[in-house]
Amino acid sequence: MKIVFRIVAAMLFFVFFVFALKNTQEAALHFFLGYEIRAPLVLLLLAFFMGGTVLGILAMMPTVFRHRRDLTKHKKTIATMEKDHEAQRMAQLQPPPDGVVSK
């Protein structure tokens, strides 16, 4: 499986590398108030891809933090339940006090 993953990764790298080599012509990006950026098309595409990735990660952060908080709460609940269960098990294993007969 690891070899298949590496082969697919190498093929994707090759495809994107050839794509970058084919798109080296200069492109202009026009902003408001007459601002303009001129750069190779592949660099502009890479910049927007990276910007989208960063925005996507930032958009996921509240959900990730909420899940982590819930996980911590559940771990504490499980630890408490395990502690209670262990205490009940230990209470059942202790012999009854002298003079008490259980049926």
Side-chain angles (χ1 to χ4, degrees):
M1 187 66 179
K2 196 173 189 180
I3 294 173
V4 172
F5 177 74
R6 288 189 185 251
I7 291 172
V8 170
M11 288 176 19
L12 283 174
F13 176 78
F14 180 73
V15 167
F16 288 130
F17 186 72
V18 170
F19 177 78
L21 289 177
K22 292 285 185 182
N23 289 293
T24 57
Q25 66 269 21
E26 191 170 289
L29 183 63
H30 300 279
F31 292 101
F32 296 108
L33 302 175
Y35 290 109
E36 179 181 307
I37 293 178
R38 292 191 168 275
L41 179 61
V42 72
L43 291 181
L44 290 175
L45 289 172
L46 179 63
F48 277 94
F49 175 76
M50 289 173 57
T53 303
V54 169
L55 286 176
I57 290 171
L58 289 176
M60 287 180 3
M61 281 303 185
T63 304
V64 169
F65 286 133
R66 185 176 65 244
H67 286 306
R68 282 187 179 182
R69 187 177 58 242
D70 289 345
L71 179 64
T72 303
K73 185 176 76 172
H74 292 314
K75 281 183 178 180
K76 287 180 183 177
T77 303
I78 289 171
T80 304
M81 291 173 74
E82 285 177 346
K83 183 179 174 185
D84 291 345
H85 178 69
E86 185 66 25
Q88 287 176 356
R89 194 174 69 91
M90 292 304 284
Q92 289 175 352
L93 293 177
Q94 290 180 354
D98 291 336
V100 177
V101 178
S102 62
K103 292 185 179 183

